[in-house]
Amino acid sequence: MPGLGTSFGRGGATVWVPDLQNADCILIEGSNFAEAHPVAFRFVMKAKERGATIIHVDPRFTRTSAVADIYAPIRSGTDIAFLGGIINYVLANDKIFREYVEAYTNASYIVGEAYKDTDELDGLFSGYNEETRSYDVSTWAFERDEQGVIKKDPTLAHPRSVYQVLKRHFARYTPEMVERTCGTPKEQFLKIAETLAKNSGRERTTAFAYAVGWTQHTAGVQFIRTAAILQTLLGNIGRPGGGIMALRGHANIQGATDIPTLYDLLPGYLPMPSALRDEQTLDAYLKTNTKATGWWANTPTYMISLLKAFYGEHATAENDYGYEYLPQLIGDHSMLPTTFAMKDGAVKGYFVIGQNPGASGQNAELVRAAMERLEWFVNIDSYDNETVSFWRREGADPAKIGTEVFFLPAATVLEKEGTMVQTSRLLQWHDKAVEPAGSSKSDAWYFNWFMKRIKELYADSTDPKDRPILHTTWDYDHDDPHERAKGEPSVLKVLQEINGFNVADRTQVGGFTELKGDGSTACGGWIYSGVCPDARTNRARNRNASGEYTALDWGFAWPANRRTLYNRASADPSGKPWSERKKYVWWDEAKGEWTGVDVPDFPKTKAPSTPADKHAKGMAFHSGADPFIMNVDGVAQLFVPAGLQDAPLPAHYEPLQSVVENPIYAQQSNPLMREWIRRDNAYNKPVDAEYPYVMTTYRVTEMSGIMTRYVPWLAELQPSAFAEIDPELAVSKGIKNGEYVTISTALGEMEARALVSGRMRPLRVNGKKIHQIGIPYNYGSMVAFARGDSVGELIPIAVDPNVSIHESKTLTCNIRAGRRRAHHEGRVDREVPPDERTRMGEPTF
Amino acid sequence: MPNLPPNPDDALMGAASRNGRTEAVVPTYYERPMLKAPHWEWNVVTYLFLGGVMGGLGLIQLLAHPERDDERRLKRTARYTAFILAAANPAILITHLGKPERFLNMMRIVKIKSPMSLGVWGLVFYSGAAGANVVRELAVDGVLPRWMRFVAPGFMAPAQALLGAFTAGYTGVLLSATANPFWGSGKRHIPAASVCSGLASASALASLLSTLEGNHAAVHKLERLEMVAGAAELLVLNDFKRASGEYGKPFFEGKRGERLRTYTVLAGTLAPMALNALGQMVKLPKPIDAVRTTVASVLTLVGGYILRDSLIEAGKASARDPKAAFRQPR
Amino acid sequence: MATGFFTDTTLCIGCKACEVACKQWNELPSDGFEFTGNSYDNTSELSGTTWRHVAFVEQMSVDPEGGLHDRWLMSSDVCKHCTNAGCLEACPTGAIIRNEFGAVFIQPDVCNGCGYCVVSCPFGVVDLIEKFDPEGTHYNLASLSESRLDSKQTAVQQSGGVAGKCTLCYDRQKVGFVPACAKACPTESIQFGDLDELRARAKARVETLTERGVEATLYGADDVGGGIGSLNAFFLLTDRPETYNLPAQPVLPSTRQPAGYTAAAVAAVGLALAGWMIFRNA
Ligand SMILES: Nc1nc2c(c(=O)[nH]1)N[C@H]1C(S)=C(S)[C@@H](COP(=O)(O)OP(=O)(O)OC[C@H]3O[C@@H](n4cnc5c(=O)[nH]c(N)nc54)[C@H](O)[C@@H]3O)O[C@H]1N2
Ligand SMILES: Nc1nc2c(c(=O)[nH]1)N[C@H]1C(S)=C(S)[C@@H](COP(=O)(O)OP(=O)(O)OC[C@H]3O[C@@H](n4cnc5c(=O)[nH]c(N)nc54)[C@H](O)[C@@H]3O)O[C@H]1N2
Ligand code: SF4
Ligand code: SF4
Ligand code: SF4
Ligand code: SF4
Ligand code: SF4
Ligand SMILES: [Mo]
């Protein structure tokens, strides 16, 4: 998310799925698009039918590769090198879309003298502090004149211009280096680079699609940054058939980031107040988080409207709109660090809602062992799973586990109404199809009643610390007497509150531009504003696909029902489409407004000729030719001077557990990644002869998790955990197709059925032959029809510094024919003493 | 496509994954059969076998002349036996179908293109003719009123014979007119062999019963008939082996081929032939001759049954052969 | 109007949505949970209770430079609804009929489980169904509602021992729905519609692919030979039919009947003559 966010201004995918059909070329890398997103993939097939070239770069030849025009194998974890190679190729051969880059990016900005690149520091940037493992990002700042305006060189010739820095930074990423690092044959790499260049520019566009194949790495955010830089250089952002399609995961994962389940965000991507920053009062918070220029100058409006939605009449200017009721961060409270804290006894209670970390989690045994230390555990789920049943897993003794477990049955999606926000940022309402089975209730029911009862319990309290509970508005009772009788809240009312309303007369606001920062409007999530513009309208219900292919009357895409973000960039600086073939949004001189097939992502009547006022605040700072309105400067950031902790420009680092030394820099892996060096989280050493094979994890079409494992029709299609192994490795290890193999890491063992296939192929990396083993992550061993050991048993926790995402795509392992030992025998932290092989220590909490 | 190096472990990747367009070898789909094997067990084998025996008895009851005493007795025995078999066969089919009502579903229609349908109707009409002829016998024997002879007018005897030829022959067509590659490869041979084997078995059964009755004159004739039918069967099978080629392997080769040669050819045809020839040439003492006839008859019957069983089992094997089904015999 | 399928295997992504949609609509049980190791194909074949089967064929070169030639073919197989259908001709009860949509349809309440259609299908499609076990794990618990079972033809099939295969979604077609498998296919690999239109579309598609350098052939759009005629469910293939477990030379079984009856008659007449001589001479 920050990969795209820092580059373009918003964390969301820059395009929407059906627009892929307009692409002339689609690069799918870091995603198994066809298998994990089969329905969306129809638009890739449509593009192919129209003559587009489909490229798939993946460690494995998958069902996506099968229909791609070009497939290239890659060693897992080396995409920065691969894409960096293409960046080098387009820069060195002058294949960039120069007019676009000059007008819409910070290529001309001059980087300060303090900046030192990885090129000079062999893998590190300037400002690195070895002790704190962090960067002083002030060394990455742009050079400014006396008035504070950033210096630029429109000719891009200045040696410290971003363009020249980029050129030098990526110069080492030659085709030979790509082959040496990624194992991708040079000819195939060059073919892809040429194809991308050929299909970009004024007349043609290329789209990129990725998913967790790029994110689940200790440098995951930088993988996406590399793609963002390349797509920007090729002039593909904001244009039809271009952009970067970040494919989201579970059905509502986009919605769960927008109105977030994340610990560090408030709805609409407002940061969660932090005790570690200067944010103790509302003023301080707004000062820290409001950007002087660009759209985020509106932060106070959105924050105050949000507080009004939270606390209603109790939010007044006098009490900072209840700002102090919000909790403040005191560290990394994301899931994985919390799990360690739980294991170490620092967490007493745990809610798990709609997740099965006992199978899908990294270091799954750590997760389950951590739950043994809890006083109580609440699971809201539709099925029995490996998490709620942790106390009866193989090797556990229920008599010795004191955790009190509450299982609350959840209604499934068909048994409740609400919205889902899919990968195109599209909100779609769905009705309830059937009544919940048995005693199950919707998730909203549970939270409605948790809050109602908690409020009841505190009703008489006068203690100021209980005010957040008492002052929270809570009026979601259903209008339908039938639903009300069952205690179901109205999720439509929740959506209406998210849309926002005028406090005085409770009329809905028409969109976020109507919000005010004076407490006269309330809005629960500004980015969705406009979805319920009046009391009777719910645009998430719209189902009219007629007219333009953008189908603006089908659902509601945030923000403001836009499909393609930054679509101002589909026109040239003067407002005319770059080409007739690729016209999308343009300036209508006669009407004096932006028009096109989509909702313009630009102030509607701001003419292209509008000059920038470099001393103004807010949007006036941008000219009529600055398409990236969310960004401070209005342009795409090729170089990110602030906002990312680990690098202003992506550099190839090896994964924490790698089978080779970094071929490009002396710095082996991301210096800022977070590790937990302790016995119950044992890592394989880098380049460890005991664990000579690369292991990667992924999903298969037939399986998702518990929900599919319980369905016999799906279970019969992929009935058990398996491991994909190349024939050469199988022969050398005496592994027979279809039979059991055991895969091991320092952390543990798992068994799976061998699927020996030429789709896995050994690669030559840095002169060494590398075998990769692929294991689907979808299995768990305790319940349902489709079963098998979870690959989470093998994966120690290490995370990316920006978003705390785990590295589960690139690991090392060993493999042998035959079945595993009983779990407790194979497990390192129970019986095997720490030895030199594993990088272990004592608990750190 | 580049040349593939020899694979160290062929089973490893499955043949299909290795055989690209360029290889001359016909690819199979993971060695999986393309066709479905028949679900048929002992009951269908018996049904087919009895169909043949019944058919043969139809001819025998016609051949036996009512004026000659031994043949008169033979005629009666053949008719009674044929009728019992005709009545038993639906029952056996029902054990295969599971429920009695299901047999009735066969009576909904007549389908010329379906040997199974025609066969069932053949069986029904045969039962009718055989029933009428049995009524006649019973009337002649005085069990039933004499006038009831007229239930079966004269043409009923040739009718039963004709229908008999059909019941014996269709059991072969039933197999050969399927998608099964082995059965299909015997589109002429299996029906012809079924007729021959049916008559040989019928003769054997009739001679066995006649021996028990002490009707030695009839046995003498029946054994000659059995020899002719057996010889014809061997000729047909021999030609079948030649004509079926690859398709015939599951039948003629391997364990199944050995069983066929032992039980159907050697013990089931050649041995009884020799015994019967002996009977024709040498006049043995009565008890010994009875043993000879009994042994020869039982051997022929077993051989006939094994022939049907081998046909069914070879059909299953053929259906499981992934390659045979790709090019089906015309 | 005769309707059918044009399955364009070049568009298939092997998602098996067609398999699952078919089982769900027709409330068929699973066939067991067996890992085969044959690529991603754990279904293996069509059966009495599996009416769509996606075949996976890996053609991978061992040579690392061969990446550009590697192929992983996928193809969703189904009953062909043959113009001259072996199963239909063979069925002694008339359970198998050709319905108003030109599809070959088994009426389960008429079928008596003789199994003759099973051996008479040149494509190995139809098979007998074992007894359903609605309580068993193979059955989808979600579809246990009695009332729904009653309205389904599978209600009759529950008792087991009858033949089962694709109905071309007769029940859906009757109310104007597209068959479940075609509806579920995300990439339009399975195209349903009027046969003449489908054939025209298929031929145009072959031309497009040929222009792009793909060797594509149609299987069953025209006469497949052997007396079968064309197939109402036909395929666009990029390799020989055997690769997809389809017969290169299927034959309509009934074409062998004249020869069979003649041979039987010749044998019978010959033996009758011999018998006549034996008995006359005596
Ligand atoms: N059927 C099904 N669909 C799903 C899900 C499911 O469980 N089942 N889950 C949903 C969820 S939650 C998500 S997040 C999405 C995920 O969607 P995807 O990210 O598309 O799915 P994955 O299979 O996890 O991984 C994609 C591919 O990344 C490859 N890969 C691994 N390491 C690397 C690498 O370093 N570089 C590159 N280029 N590729 C690499 C893997 O081989 C795999 O083919 O799918 C969603 N869709
Ligand atoms: N090694 C490895 N590990 C991975 C990944 C990987 O690629 N490799 N991928 C990661 C990714 S991207 C993801 S998203 C996670 C997914 O991991 P999980 O989210 O743990 O996966 P699921 O098994 O889909 O769990 C969903 C749970 O929600 C329940 N559920 C379904 N509907 C409802 C509902 O309406 N209400 C409630 N309360 N519960 C419901 C289901 O029964 C199920 O138990 O796994 C991660 N783990
Ligand atoms: S499971 Fe749902 S989200 Fe996933 S492809 Fe199918 S329809 Fe789309
Ligand atoms: S494919 Fe087989 S089952 Fe289908 S109609 Fe043709 S003969 Fe009948
Ligand atoms: S099993 Fe049923 S459908 Fe098949 S031939 Fe027999 S009666 Fe007809
Ligand atoms: S047409 Fe209907 S019955 Fe036939 S395969 Fe498709 S879904 Fe199944
Ligand atoms: S649904 Fe379509 S794409 Fe998926 S396997 Fe079936 S035919 Fe192929
Ligand atoms: Mo996910």
PDB file of all heavy atoms in Angstrom, chain C residues 79-82 85-87 104 121-123 125-126 165, ligand 4:
ATOM      1  N   CYS C  79     -20.094 -34.710 -22.018  1.00  0.00           N
ATOM      2  CA  CYS C  79     -20.808 -35.549 -22.976  1.00  0.00           C
ATOM      3  C   CYS C  79     -20.944 -34.801 -24.297  1.00  0.00           C
ATOM      4  O   CYS C  79     -21.233 -33.610 -24.314  1.00  0.00           O
ATOM      5  CB  CYS C  79     -22.190 -35.904 -22.449  1.00  0.00           C
ATOM      6  SG  CYS C  79     -23.270 -36.614 -23.689  1.00  0.00           S
ATOM      7  N   LYS C  80     -20.746 -35.520 -25.400  1.00  0.00           N
ATOM      8  CA  LYS C  80     -20.701 -34.854 -26.699  1.00  0.00           C
ATOM      9  C   LYS C  80     -22.080 -34.640 -27.310  1.00  0.00           C
ATOM     10  O   LYS C  80     -22.214 -33.975 -28.325  1.00  0.00           O
ATOM     11  CB  LYS C  80     -19.864 -35.680 -27.687  1.00  0.00           C
ATOM     12  CG  LYS C  80     -18.343 -35.636 -27.547  1.00  0.00           C
ATOM     13  CD  LYS C  80     -17.833 -35.781 -26.211  1.00  0.00           C
ATOM     14  CE  LYS C  80     -16.368 -35.851 -25.998  1.00  0.00           C
ATOM     15  NZ  LYS C  80     -16.068 -36.355 -24.641  1.00  0.00           N
ATOM     16  N   HIS C  81     -23.078 -35.242 -26.752  1.00  0.00           N
ATOM     17  CA  HIS C  81     -24.435 -35.145 -27.311  1.00  0.00           C
ATOM     18  C   HIS C  81     -24.393 -35.395 -28.820  1.00  0.00           C
ATOM     19  O   HIS C  81     -24.788 -34.554 -29.633  1.00  0.00           O
ATOM     20  CB  HIS C  81     -25.068 -33.801 -26.946  1.00  0.00           C
ATOM     21  CG  HIS C  81     -25.236 -33.639 -25.473  1.00  0.00           C
ATOM     22  ND1 HIS C  81     -26.265 -34.219 -24.783  1.00  0.00           N
ATOM     23  CD2 HIS C  81     -24.474 -33.026 -24.537  1.00  0.00           C
ATOM     24  CE1 HIS C  81     -26.149 -33.951 -23.488  1.00  0.00           C
ATOM     25  NE2 HIS C  81     -25.062 -33.243 -23.321  1.00  0.00           N
ATOM     26  N   CYS C  82     -23.868 -36.586 -29.148  1.00  0.00           N
ATOM     27  CA  CYS C  82     -23.598 -36.961 -30.533  1.00  0.00           C
ATOM     28  C   CYS C  82     -24.849 -36.924 -31.408  1.00  0.00           C
ATOM     29  O   CYS C  82     -25.951 -37.243 -30.954  1.00  0.00           O
ATOM     30  CB  CYS C  82     -23.062 -38.388 -30.584  1.00  0.00           C
ATOM     31  SG  CYS C  82     -21.826 -38.758 -29.347  1.00  0.00           S
ATOM     32  N   ALA C  85     -25.905 -41.053 -31.448  1.00  0.00           N
ATOM     33  CA  ALA C  85     -25.330 -41.354 -30.137  1.00  0.00           C
ATOM     34  C   ALA C  85     -25.356 -42.839 -29.852  1.00  0.00           C
ATOM     35  O   ALA C  85     -26.413 -43.470 -29.874  1.00  0.00           O
ATOM     36  CB  ALA C  85     -26.095 -40.591 -29.059  1.00  0.00           C
ATOM     37  N   GLY C  86     -24.181 -43.389 -29.578  1.00  0.00           N
ATOM     38  CA  GLY C  86     -24.066 -44.807 -29.252  1.00  0.00           C
ATOM     39  C   GLY C  86     -24.930 -45.169 -28.056  1.00  0.00           C
ATOM     40  O   GLY C  86     -25.612 -46.187 -28.038  1.00  0.00           O
ATOM     41  N   CYS C  87     -24.908 -44.316 -27.044  1.00  0.00           N
ATOM     42  CA  CYS C  87     -25.647 -44.612 -25.818  1.00  0.00           C
ATOM     43  C   CYS C  87     -27.141 -44.676 -26.097  1.00  0.00           C
ATOM     44  O   CYS C  87     -27.834 -45.574 -25.643  1.00  0.00           O
ATOM     45  CB  CYS C  87     -25.340 -43.571 -24.751  1.00  0.00           C
ATOM     46  SG  CYS C  87     -25.873 -41.910 -25.198  1.00  0.00           S
ATOM     47  N   VAL C 104     -28.861 -35.286 -25.837  1.00  0.00           N
ATOM     48  CA  VAL C 104     -29.082 -36.686 -25.494  1.00  0.00           C
ATOM     49  C   VAL C 104     -29.305 -36.743 -23.985  1.00  0.00           C
ATOM     50  O   VAL C 104     -28.425 -36.401 -23.199  1.00  0.00           O
ATOM     51  CB  VAL C 104     -27.873 -37.532 -25.925  1.00  0.00           C
ATOM     52  CG1 VAL C 104     -28.045 -38.970 -25.482  1.00  0.00           C
ATOM     53  CG2 VAL C 104     -27.683 -37.443 -27.436  1.00  0.00           C
ATOM     54  N   CYS C 121     -20.832 -46.033 -25.477  1.00  0.00           N
ATOM     55  CA  CYS C 121     -20.417 -44.664 -25.741  1.00  0.00           C
ATOM     56  C   CYS C 121     -18.989 -44.686 -26.259  1.00  0.00           C
ATOM     57  O   CYS C 121     -18.085 -45.118 -25.550  1.00  0.00           O
ATOM     58  CB  CYS C 121     -20.509 -43.821 -24.476  1.00  0.00           C
ATOM     59  SG  CYS C 121     -19.704 -42.227 -24.685  1.00  0.00           S
ATOM     60  N   PRO C 122     -18.755 -44.223 -27.464  1.00  0.00           N
ATOM     61  CA  PRO C 122     -17.398 -44.259 -28.033  1.00  0.00           C
ATOM     62  C   PRO C 122     -16.446 -43.296 -27.335  1.00  0.00           C
ATOM     63  O   PRO C 122     -15.254 -43.314 -27.590  1.00  0.00           O
ATOM     64  CB  PRO C 122     -17.600 -43.830 -29.482  1.00  0.00           C
ATOM     65  CG  PRO C 122     -19.066 -43.786 -29.714  1.00  0.00           C
ATOM     66  CD  PRO C 122     -19.729 -43.651 -28.396  1.00  0.00           C
ATOM     67  N   PHE C 123     -16.973 -42.446 -26.458  1.00  0.00           N
ATOM     68  CA  PHE C 123     -16.138 -41.444 -25.803  1.00  0.00           C
ATOM     69  C   PHE C 123     -15.949 -41.724 -24.302  1.00  0.00           C
ATOM     70  O   PHE C 123     -15.366 -40.925 -23.588  1.00  0.00           O
ATOM     71  CB  PHE C 123     -16.751 -40.057 -25.990  1.00  0.00           C
ATOM     72  CG  PHE C 123     -16.919 -39.673 -27.430  1.00  0.00           C
ATOM     73  CD1 PHE C 123     -18.121 -39.875 -28.090  1.00  0.00           C
ATOM     74  CD2 PHE C 123     -15.845 -39.154 -28.145  1.00  0.00           C
ATOM     75  CE1 PHE C 123     -18.271 -39.539 -29.436  1.00  0.00           C
ATOM     76  CE2 PHE C 123     -15.984 -38.815 -29.482  1.00  0.00           C
ATOM     77  CZ  PHE C 123     -17.198 -39.013 -30.129  1.00  0.00           C
ATOM     78  N   VAL C 125     -18.103 -41.679 -21.852  1.00  0.00           N
ATOM     79  CA  VAL C 125     -18.710 -40.621 -21.041  1.00  0.00           C
ATOM     80  C   VAL C 125     -19.627 -41.171 -19.955  1.00  0.00           C
ATOM     81  O   VAL C 125     -19.382 -41.016 -18.765  1.00  0.00           O
ATOM     82  CB  VAL C 125     -19.496 -39.634 -21.946  1.00  0.00           C
ATOM     83  CG1 VAL C 125     -20.288 -38.657 -21.100  1.00  0.00           C
ATOM     84  CG2 VAL C 125     -18.532 -38.882 -22.853  1.00  0.00           C
ATOM     85  N   VAL C 126     -20.686 -41.828 -20.391  1.00  0.00           N
ATOM     86  CA  VAL C 126     -21.737 -42.192 -19.438  1.00  0.00           C
ATOM     87  C   VAL C 126     -21.271 -43.344 -18.537  1.00  0.00           C
ATOM     88  O   VAL C 126     -20.473 -44.185 -18.938  1.00  0.00           O
ATOM     89  CB  VAL C 126     -23.041 -42.540 -20.198  1.00  0.00           C
ATOM     90  CG1 VAL C 126     -22.825 -43.696 -21.136  1.00  0.00           C
ATOM     91  CG2 VAL C 126     -24.193 -42.802 -19.249  1.00  0.00           C
ATOM     92  N   LYS C 165     -25.085 -38.899 -16.701  1.00  0.00           N
ATOM     93  CA  LYS C 165     -24.192 -38.083 -17.507  1.00  0.00           C
ATOM     94  C   LYS C 165     -24.822 -36.704 -17.674  1.00  0.00           C
ATOM     95  O   LYS C 165     -25.961 -36.480 -17.237  1.00  0.00           O
ATOM     96  CB  LYS C 165     -23.952 -38.737 -18.871  1.00  0.00           C
ATOM     97  CG  LYS C 165     -25.169 -38.691 -19.782  1.00  0.00           C
ATOM     98  CD  LYS C 165     -24.781 -38.942 -21.211  1.00  0.00           C
ATOM     99  CE  LYS C 165     -25.917 -38.637 -22.161  1.00  0.00           C
ATOM    100  NZ  LYS C 165     -26.173 -37.198 -22.315  1.00  0.00           N
TER     101      LYS C 165
HETATM  102  S1  SF4 D   4     -20.820 -38.855 -25.905  1.00  0.00           S
HETATM  103 FE1  SF4 D   4     -21.416 -40.853 -25.274  1.00  0.00          FE
HETATM  104  S2  SF4 D   4     -22.886 -40.503 -23.682  1.00  0.00           S
HETATM  105 FE2  SF4 D   4     -22.702 -38.606 -24.798  1.00  0.00          FE
HETATM  106  S3  SF4 D   4     -24.284 -38.685 -26.361  1.00  0.00           S
HETATM  107 FE3  SF4 D   4     -22.427 -39.468 -27.309  1.00  0.00          FE
HETATM  108  S4  SF4 D   4     -22.589 -41.642 -26.978  1.00  0.00           S
HETATM  109 FE4  SF4 D   4     -24.005 -40.733 -25.587  1.00  0.00          FE
END
